Structures are given as structure tokens and as C-alpha cells.
Amino acid sequence: MSSITVKDVFNSMEYGPAPEARNLADEWLMAHGSSFGHYIGGAFTDPNAGEVFDSINPATGQVLATIAQGSAADIDRAVKAARAAQDDWAATPGHVRARYLYALARQIQKHSRLFAVLDTLDNGKTIRETRDLDVPLAARHFYHHAGWAQLLDEEFRGYRPVGVCGQIIPWNFPLLMLAWKVAPALAAGCTVVLKPAEFTPLTALLFAEITRHVGLPDGVFNLVTGDGDTGAALVAHEQVDKIAFTGSTEVGRIIRRETAGSGKKLSLELGGKSPFIVFEDADIDAAIEGVVDGIWLNQGEVCCAGSRLLVQEGLAEKFYARLKRRMQTLRVGDPLDKGVDIGALVAPVQLERIERLVEQGKREGATCWQPDLTLPEQGLYFPPTLFTDVEPSATISQVEIFGPVLVATTFRTPAEAVELANHTRYGLAASIWSSNLDLALDVASKVKAGVVWVNSTNMFDAAAGFGGYRESGYGREGGREGMYEYLQPDWTFAPRKETAAAAQPAPAASRADDLADDVAAVVDRLDLDADSDDDQLDDGFASFAADAGFGFEDELQPAAAEPEEVALPVTEPASVASSAEAEPPAIDATPKLYIGGKQVRPDSGYSYAVTSEQGAFLGEVGLGNRKDIRNAVEAARKASSWSSATAHNRAQVLYYLAENLSQRADELARFIDTMDDGGASLGEREVEASIRRIYTYAAWADKYDGQVHATPLRNVTLAMNEPWGVLGVVAPTDHALLGLLSLILPALAMGNRVVAIPSSPRAAIMAPLYQLLDTSDVPAGTVNLVSGNRDELARVLAQHDDVDSLWYCGSRSGAKLVEEESTGNLKPVWVIRSSGRDWFDPAAGEGREFLRRATQVKNIWVPYGE
Ligand code: NAI
Ligand code: MG
């Protein structure tokens, strides 16, 4: 035992011998005859009823148990059990649900050693980690979420549980990933079908037993074991309302494609290639220990592993030398030995993957270094490995290795560090080391990652959200932000009603009317309404609004589903003149596209005819194409000043927009009525509601702020609401102005730049809108408007790598299309239900639901203390 370190001694003193714990696990396995069925509707199924597979201890190759391979029929039964339990569970008072969650937390603690040993046996991860990290954190998640169950009615007013959740988890943190998924679902009032990874089903089976022990109602938690096919059956099941997945980006893509257009809510926690950035002024000793934890925790089989070391040039040589010395002291071996730092890899396939990538790294010219140590003769082990001189674009710099392999590069300046850090398709986590907190926080704000650890790494807690940017997935787990993944706004459950335009004034509508009157009265008193004087308006605008009618395709139907996109009656430039001759509008009734703050002709040169709702020809609107969208995205990319402007400044611009809109309220109201053939006479109301909506989001701009999460470690965890960047918006068909603004405004308020596709039949609204934007100091490129065939343009937005997120309001087939097309870059798509949504009603048409979707939460952990 000559190689034992002080740390090892310290550990050995604190904890008792391991073998004793193993006995407990063996007894549990024996008690079950080492064979397990599924847990469905409150009972275990016959373990030998169908196909089975083995769960193996990768440290020894020993078969631990025989596990049932879930079939589609098993999944069906489990989903039906969950469905049957759903209503009662949702109706169970929050306090009662809290008591169940609390009981589960207590049970996990009570059986903590059994859980720890089972995870270690099944996965190969060290007992030190399962006992000190996995199990306590799993219990913590249940405690924390017991609290959310208790507070749900108060803190999530206006929301309901999503319903039946299919949850698919990986093998790297078997119990912990279960806790991250199951605790929030149960707290929210959802029921669950869980599919653990095929390599590590044991602790999930123990957990199922515990749910029965605490008397959790039958069907609330169901467990179906099996491989990817079992997972796929769960994803495909029609009665599942939400899929929550953690695992490889590859399978994340498959699930995105499979669920496209299904209406299933989806959260994906995928891979990463997270940067570990060390500045010259960092505390070196701390940073070295940080690296050890960052990449060698759990053998490097960690989605947020700090697998790319970026060291500032002046420090690099010294840092590598110190790191190598430290690596020499790492102990690789029996995971049940408490002095071991690196255990066994989960399965042969994972070891082969690592070996293959390491060979490729060598072939591509990087320098490979491994400490001089002997690995155990049997079992799946790989030594800690350091690559230096690695090109940022090398395979090993880009691909998630998911093993104990660190890849190092140097940088000179903070700007270069940020550039290298973001030189990846992923965006899960980042670790930043500097004694200059200003610098560290500045870099934290610029790194594209859902979690940033300043002078620390791999810190997790139930009170803080965890989840990625970019191809690391979407959705958060933990904290308030994680709860929303299992909730749905109330109004979406209301019986679908006709759209406001078609329906008699609904209560909400008359409320809006009353408010409009109130606002009008206030405006009168304040003498703010400059009594829109036609003379002050842009030349053509008043008559444009009065004379030009703008048409409707069959697209507008107040039916249950948004209409399918129809072929637009395209006209060539030449025929524009002739059709314009037929019924000449007083002014140019051909709004151009609005890109980069300029009115531009569509690339195609084509236009399409718009008619009033009754079919009268009104004019021609530009037919945008792929190139126009690309130009618009480029303009939006460049308009980054909007995102860095202060929230106060953005609010000022929005208030100014409202002021300008109210100056033109009358014309715009008449204009809208003309599009509607004056029949509905909703123009005035729509304009008034639009002004109010602008005020709402001007108000929110500096108020939808983040949180400081109360995580139990000595640190502040800053949950920042960051804008996506460039947001694509596909507006609803009806309420040309209000519908479009309802989507653009929250995006703008939160600092996004927008490329919007207005309602195809009412695209004429663009002309007055871009005039308003021009006169309201909205910087060029912040809002871009491209008219044309809705779904054709939406497809381009969905595919575009520089569009960070997409909001789609349209038909069911269009929703399927954009969700499918988003698969390549895993762009988050929000399919916005418009039918049944009363855009006039603030409860459905504005507020937190939109603000939350306009942002992504970045959790920045900043430790304090000496
Ligand atoms: P995986 O993504 O295939 O497995 C994760 C889970 O998804 C398992 O429960 C699996 O049974 C299930 N699954 C597989 N195919 C499915 C499908 N078509 N539909 C529904 N569920 C499906 O990951 P795997 O194969 O275990 O590991 C491959 C690589 O993925 C690893 O080398 C690693 O790079 C990465 N990975 C990343 C994880 C993370 O947390 N970011 C976790 C596990 C793996
Ligand atoms: Mg196993």
C-alpha cells in the first residue's frame, strides 16, 4: 500500500470497509432470485414472461441479474397504467404529493448504502462517488421537489401537469438521473413511465420497490426495463404527453424526429464537450484539483465533463507539468475500494469507443500522455489520459469521448478563450478559473453553456437548473426552471373556442374592451394622444390604409386546427402592373420585404396577390424565398447591439413604438377593417390591444429577471435569463397585427433579434409595421419581415444554423415539418397553438409563458469564502 496518499488515508478513516456493503446488495439480489420484471400499475411483472437480458458488473464481468426486455406491449400496458392514474394524481392536493416525495427522499436516505453499492456494481463507478454524490443528491432532489409539490398552486398559478411522461435515462448516473426526472414529474402531478438504461437497471428496480413501500398510488410510477427498442416504443406511444430524455445527441435527434408534429412536449439533455478555462492568474492548486474532478469524475463518463482544457499560454507548461504529477497519483481500480479514484467503464462498447478515439487523436498528431500505472487485469479500465498540442478542430477536440481523456489547448487572450470555448456544436457546461472575478464573470456571460462554474466544477443541486445550449439539448432539470418542463398553461386545457374574430365577444374580449376604454380615458386626460393627424403621416399611408384591401386565401379558417398552407397565387413582376391596373390602388400596395432596416424587393422578383376576406383583389405582396430568409438572418446576426443594450433601453424603444402606434391608431384600425372587409370591425380593438401589448413587454423588459438559487454550497448560483440571439417567428394567420406583435414583442423585450414571417394572407400589415419600426428607433436588423409561403419559409428558418430558436404558429403539418427540419442542429422549436387561443386575452396572449420561451436560463455558480 505504498502508493496510498493522504487523501486516501483520510477517506479510509472516514468510511468503513467496502465488502460489508456488497453483502447487502448481494442479499437484495438473492432475495429477488436475481431476476426482475417490469413494475407496472403497482406490481412487478413475471421476470420470465418474455425476452430477458443480463445486467453485468463491468469491473468483474459477473452477471448481476437477469432483466426483462420491455416490448411494445409492455410499454403500452405501462402507459395505460400511467394514464389511468393521471387524473387522480393531478387532483391529489399538493401537500399530499409533497408527503409522498418526502417519504421517497427518506427511503433513499435510509437505503443509501444499498443504492450506492448497487449503482457501483451495475455501472463500475466508484463507491466514493455513488455514496457521496449520486445518492445524497438523489435524495436531495426528492426533498427539493416535495417542496415544489407543496407550493405548486401558489408558485405555478395558471399551470397544470402535462400528463403522462415517458422518461428515458442513461447509465452514467443511474439513480441520480432517475431522481432528476421522476421528482419534478411527480411534484407537478404527472405520472411516469421510466425506461432506465440497459446497462444499469438495478437501482431503478430498487426505487420501484420503494415507491410501493411508501404506498405511492398504483400507476403513478411505472418502470419498463429494456434497451433502445423499448425506449423507442415509449417515444412512439400515442398516449404519452411528454418525453424527457438524457443520453447521446444521436438518440436525441432520433427522438426529435420521431416526436415531430405529435404535440408531445420534449426535453433533451444531451452530450457536451465542455471547456475548462484556466487563466494565468488562477489559483493553480485549486484549478488542478478542478481538472481532476472535471474530467475524471465518473471515469469521464459525464455529459458535462470538463473535457477540453484551455490554458492561458504563459501558464501552460507549468500547468501541464503539475497536472501530470497529479495524474500520477490517481488510482484506477476496483470501484468498491474507497481509495480508488477511477473505476471501471460501463461496457465493452464504451471502452472500445474511447480506445478508438484515443488512437485517432494520436493519428491526427496530438501528443498523448498517460501516467505510469498498472490497470487491474480483468474488468473494463482505461488510464487517465492527457492530450496536448491538440488542434481545436481535431476529432478529439470536437467529439464527445465520454471517458477519462482530457484534451488540452492554449489561448492568449480572454477573447480567444471565449472563441475556443464556443468552438463546438455543444453548449452544456463551462468551468472558468481566474482570481479576477470581473474577468471570470465576463467570460461566463459570453460562453454558450447552460451551466457555468466559476473557480469550481461539477457542482449540482436540485435548486439550480441543469441543461444545455445548442446541440446539448433543451429544457432544464432542477430549480424553478425545471418545473416548467412538467407543466402546461391552464388555458390549453380549456375547451377550444372559436377565434375572437369569429366568435361573439367572449368575456375576455369584453374585458379587453373595458380596458381599452379605460386606457383611452387616461390617454385623453394626459393629452398624449396627438390625435393622429393624417397630414403628419407618411404620404401614402392614410389612403393606403383606406383604399387598399388585402386578401385572404382559404388559409383563414376559425376551425380547430390552424389551416394548411395553400398555394399562393404568384404573379411575375410584369403581371403586377396589369393586375394593379385592373383595380389600381391609390398608392403602392406592394409592401416590400423588410431586411436589415431596409425595404427590399424579394430575391425572386415575384409577388403574390392578396385579397380581402371576401375575395376582392387588394394588392401584391413580395414572395420571399430561401435567399431572402438567409439575408434576413444575416442582418439579424449583425444586429447584436440589441442584445447587448440594457433592458431599460429596450423598454424605451418599445414605449416609443407604442407611442407611434397610438399616433396612427385610427388609420391602422381602418386598415385592419379593410383587410377584414370591415365586417368584423375589430380593427380598433386590435390596435388598442396591440398598444397594450407593447406596454406589457416594455414593462417586462427589465422585470423578467433571473434568480439567485439557494443551493446548499457556499456560493451564489445566478440563474440568468439570456436571450437566444436570433429568433425565427412564424406568426398566426389571424389578427395580422396583434398576432405578429404578440410574438415579436416578448422576443424583443428579452433581447432577441427577430426574423418574422407574417400571416401570408394578411402580409400587407408589414408596410405600416416597418414604417412604425423605422420611426421608433428599433435598430436596423433587429426585426426583419419576410412575406411569402409560410411553411416554405419556416422550413428555411428551421434548417438555418444561425437561427437559435424558432416559434411556429401554423398548421399541424407545418409543425411536423419544422420540428423535423430542426433535427439537424437541434434547434428548440416552440409550436404555438393559435386555434383556441384568444390573442386578445392577456392570460393566453401574453406574459410569462412567452418570456420564458424567449430566453434560456444560464446558471452561473460563483463560490465565496476564503
Ligand atoms: P444512448 O443515448 O443510446 O442511451 C441513452 C438511453 O436512451 C438508454 O436508456 C437507451 O436505452 C435509450 N435509447 C437508445 N436508443 C433509443 C431510441 N432510439 N429511442 C429511445 N430511447 C433510446 O447512449 P449510449 O448508446 O448508452 O452511449 C453512446 C454515447 O452516448 C456515449 O459514448 C456517450 O458519448 C453518449 N452518452 C451521453 C450521455 C449524456 O448524459 N450526455 C449519457 C449516455 C451516453
Ligand atoms: Mg451493468
Side-chain angles (χ1 to χ4, degrees):
M1 294 288 273
S2 57
S3 68
I4 220 158
T5 65
V6 173
K7 199 171 170 206
D8 296 326
V9 173
F10 178 78
N11 284 325
S12 323
M13 287 199 302
E14 199 175 347
Y15 307 111
E20 173 193 26
R22 156 117 217 188
N23 292 348
L24 212 62
D26 286 335
E27 281 161 26
W28 182 77
L29 289 167
M30 297 242 296
H32 291 81
S34 296
S35 89
F36 296 87
H38 313 297
Y39 184 69
I40 296 174
F44 280 94
T45 63
D46 176 359
N48 300 307
E51 266 183 69
V52 296
F53 64 98
D54 290 337
S55 197
I56 290 166
N57 177 355
T60 61
Q62 172 205 11
V63 173
L64 294 166
T66 305
I67 309 291
Q69 161 70 21
S71 64
D74 295 321
I75 287 288
D76 184 56
R77 278 191 302 129
V79 171
K80 283 179 175 149
R83 187 92 259 160
Q86 176 55 46
D87 287 351
D88 281 352
W89 183 242
T92 301
H95 173 66
V96 176
R97 287 207 304 272
R99 289 177 82 140
Y100 281 115
L101 283 152
Y102 177 80
L104 290 168
R106 291 288 298 128
Q107 285 296 313
I108 290 171
Q109 284 183 317
K110 215 173 138 190
H111 298 286
S112 60
R113 185 183 287 167
L114 178 54
F115 271 117
V117 175
L118 274 180
D119 257 359
T120 288
L121 288 175
D122 213 3
N123 167 282
K125 62 200 294 167
T126 68
I127 186 72
R128 221 179 58 201
E129 285 168 15
T130 53
R131 190 191 40 203
D132 297 351
L133 187 105
D134 299 57
V135 178
L137 255 183
R140 161 94 183 120
H141 267 262
F142 280 95
Y143 279 123
H144 178 80
H145 287 92
W148 282 129
Q150 176 75 22
L151 301 176
L152 200 76
D153 293 345
E154 179 65 28
E155 289 295 301
F156 295 94
R157 213 179 278 270
Y159 284 85
R160 291 190 208 177
V162 167
V164 174
C165 299
Q167 304 185 317
I168 298 166
I169 55 175
W171 41 260
N172 54 347
F173 294 88
L175 177 68
L176 187 57
M177 290 301 102
L178 174 153
W180 283 22
K181 297 268 180 297
V182 173
L186 298 192
C190 296
T191 56
V192 166
V193 177
L194 181 85
K195 208 296 285 175
E198 53 273 44
F199 298 133
T200 55
L202 294 181
T203 45
L205 289 158
L206 174 59
F207 178 82
E209 226 170 70
I210 276 176
T211 64
R212 188 159 65 168
H213 181 77
V214 304
L216 192 72
D218 294 351
V220 170
F221 172 82
N222 305 276
L223 174 70
V224 181
T225 49
D227 59 12
D229 291 344
T230 313
L234 182 54
V235 168
H237 200 289
E238 275 187 1
Q239 288 182 43
V240 170
D241 300 305
K242 180 204 160 72
I243 294 289
F245 172 78
T246 298
S248 62
T249 295
E250 188 192 357
V251 172
R253 284 208 171 87
I254 293 172
I255 292 177
R256 166 67 294 175
R257 202 173 301 118
E258 288 301 313
T259 54
S262 69
K264 283 179 185 134
K265 210 172 160 161
L266 177 63
S267 52
L268 299 174
E269 203 270 89
L270 309 176
K273 194 74 185 178
S274 298
F276 190 105
I277 309 168
V278 185
F279 286 97
E280 275 164 9
D281 63 357
D283 174 339
I284 298 185
D285 291 327
I288 292 281
E289 285 314 303
V291 172
V292 169
D293 190 34
I295 184 64
W296 292 301
L297 176 85
N298 208 37
Q299 300 72 245
E301 296 168 327
V302 183
C303 51
C304 57
S307 53
R308 281 189 301 143
L309 174 63
L310 310 177
V311 195
Q312 199 160 16
E313 208 170 60
L315 179 66
E317 216 165 299
K318 186 172 167 192
F319 197 82
Y320 293 159
R322 291 276 282 277
L323 183 57
K324 287 175 184 173
R325 227 183 309 152
R326 179 68 179 87
M327 286 169 75
Q328 194 64 59
T329 67
L330 291 170
R331 298 187 64 207
V332 184
D334 178 8
L336 277 173
D337 178 340
K338 284 159 195 145
V340 156
D341 301 300
I342 299 177
L345 296 159
V346 71
V349 59
Q350 192 60 26
L351 179 58
E352 283 155 22
R353 174 193 173 90
I354 296 162
E355 286 169 344
R356 182 165 33 87
L357 283 164
V358 165
E359 285 314 309
Q360 185 155 359
K362 290 179 190 165
R363 268 205 313 281
E364 288 181 14
T367 307
C368 180
W369 187 89
Q370 292 172 331
D372 177 24
L373 48 80
T374 22
L375 299 178
E377 281 183 5
Q378 55 156 191
L380 307 171
Y381 295 95
F382 196 85
T385 302
L386 171 68
F387 272 106
T388 48
D389 311 313
V390 190
E391 292 297 326
S393 52
T395 306
I396 52 171
S397 291
Q398 293 297 321
V399 172
E400 183 179 48
I401 298 174
F402 227 64
V405 182
L406 180 63
V407 168
T409 313
T410 61
F411 67 87
R412 292 195 188 89
T413 62
E416 201 189 340
V418 170
E419 200 186 312
L420 284 170
N422 290 336
H423 186 65
T424 164
R425 299 169 77 92
Y426 294 114
L428 193 47
S431 187
I432 301 164
W433 296 75
S434 167
S435 48
N436 179 350
L437 207 53
D438 293 0
L439 171 68
L441 289 176
D442 186 51
V443 173
S445 74
K446 290 173 180 159
V447 165
K448 295 202 188 310
V451 186
V452 181
W453 294 294
V454 171
N455 293 324
S456 54
T457 193
N458 279 344
M459 297 211 283
F460 313 99
D461 184 59
F466 183 92
Y469 278 34
R470 309 206 277 194
E471 291 182 23
S472 291
Y474 31 82
R476 294 290 179 268
E477 297 186 293
R480 180 184 293 272
E481 56 262 42
M483 284 301 293
Y484 284 106
E485 303 297 332
Y486 293 94
L487 296 165
Q488 194 85 339
D490 257 343
W491 75 264
T492 52
F493 292 86
R496 296 188 174 199
K497 49 187 175 190
E498 301 281 275
T499 60
Q504 290 301 309
S510 45
R511 207 160 60 232
D513 282 343
D514 291 349
L515 269 162
D517 289 346
D518 292 349
V519 170
V522 172
V523 168
D524 280 348
R525 265 206 308 285
L526 294 176
D527 198 24
L528 285 175
D529 191 352
D531 207 21
S532 35
D533 184 350
D534 287 6
D535 296 344
Q536 290 179 347
L537 297 173
D538 259 23
D539 44 343
F541 181 67
S543 43
F544 176 61
D547 298 341
F550 281 80
F552 294 79
E553 306 309 322
D554 301 342
E555 204 181 11
L556 182 77
Q557 303 157 359
E562 275 271 311
E564 300 293 320
E565 183 79 0
V566 294
L568 298 167
V570 175
T571 47
E572 289 184 47
S575 69
V576 171
S578 60
S579 41
E581 258 167 42
E583 193 180 322
I587 50 131
D588 178 15
T590 304
K592 299 187 182 67
L593 312 182
Y594 184 62
I595 296 175
K598 295 198 181 68
Q599 299 171 31
V600 297
R601 294 188 185 287
D603 170 68
S604 66
Y606 288 92
S607 301
Y608 66 96
V610 286
T611 57
S612 77
E613 200 160 32
Q614 305 288 317
F617 173 78
L618 298 171
E620 302 278 343
V621 175
L623 186 74
N625 65 12
R626 171 174 290 267
K627 183 126 182 277
D628 297 308
I629 291 284
R630 286 212 201 106
N631 292 339
V633 172
E634 199 182 321
R637 269 279 141 219
K638 284 194 191 130
S640 59
S641 67
W642 181 256
S643 298
S644 51
T646 65
H648 172 74
N649 282 341
R650 291 198 296 265
Q652 297 308 298
V653 172
L654 293 181
Y655 280 126
Y656 193 26
L657 184 67
E659 196 182 315
N660 286 328
L661 177 54
S662 67
Q663 298 243 355
R664 295 177 166 195
D666 291 346
E667 284 94 328
L668 217 44
R670 268 185 279 134
F671 180 73
I672 290 167
D673 286 341
T674 311
M675 290 198 290
D676 292 342
D677 284 323
S681 291
L682 281 167
E684 197 182 323
R685 203 175 130 225
E686 186 170 337
V687 172
E688 198 47 54
S690 297
I691 294 169
R692 286 183 51 231
R693 194 131 298 165
I694 302 175
Y695 264 72
T696 297
Y697 287 112
W700 272 121
D702 63 354
K703 292 172 193 66
Y704 187 71
D705 47 13
Q707 272 194 292
V708 180
H709 286 312
T711 48
L713 306 154
R714 275 159 64 87
N715 72 95
V716 283
T717 308
L718 310 168
M720 314 277 290
N721 295 328
E722 292 197 339
W724 293 104
V726 175
L727 191 75
V729 161
V730 182
T733 303
D734 49 358
H735 307 309
L737 181 66
L738 181 62
L740 183 56
L741 284 178
S742 295
L743 304 193
I744 290 179
L745 292 166
L748 290 183
M750 292 297 99
N752 296 286
R753 294 93 76 187
V754 172
V755 175
I757 302 168
S759 160
S760 306
R762 290 176 166 95
I765 197 68
M766 284 166 63
L769 187 56
Y770 57 58
Q771 286 166 355
L772 282 169
L773 293 167
D774 276 344
T775 51
S776 305
D777 292 348
V778 177
T782 304
V783 178
N784 305 275
L785 303 167
V786 180
S787 52
N789 183 308
R790 180 185 65 199
D791 289 353
E792 215 170 284
L793 300 178
R795 177 206 294 271
V796 184
L797 282 176
Q799 291 169 339
H800 203 302
D801 281 343
D802 276 340
V803 176
D804 300 297
S805 181
L806 176 61
W807 293 3
Y808 177 84
C809 216
S811 66
R812 203 167 286 232
S813 63
K816 183 166 170 14
L817 171 82
V818 292
E819 286 186 335
E820 275 168 0
E821 296 296 342
S822 75
T823 301
N825 47 35
L826 282 167
K827 173 178 303 154
V829 174
W830 183 26
V831 171
I832 304 178
R833 209 179 97 190
S834 185
S835 60
R837 189 192 287 258
D838 180 0
W839 288 103
F840 286 89
D841 179 5
E846 67 182 34
R848 286 181 178 274
E849 187 194 1
F850 293 84
L851 293 159
R852 196 173 70 76
R853 297 287 193 159
T855 50
Q856 53 187 339
V857 183
K858 175 188 276 181
N859 273 277
I860 304 175
W861 297 64
V862 188
Y864 55 76
E866 286 181 61

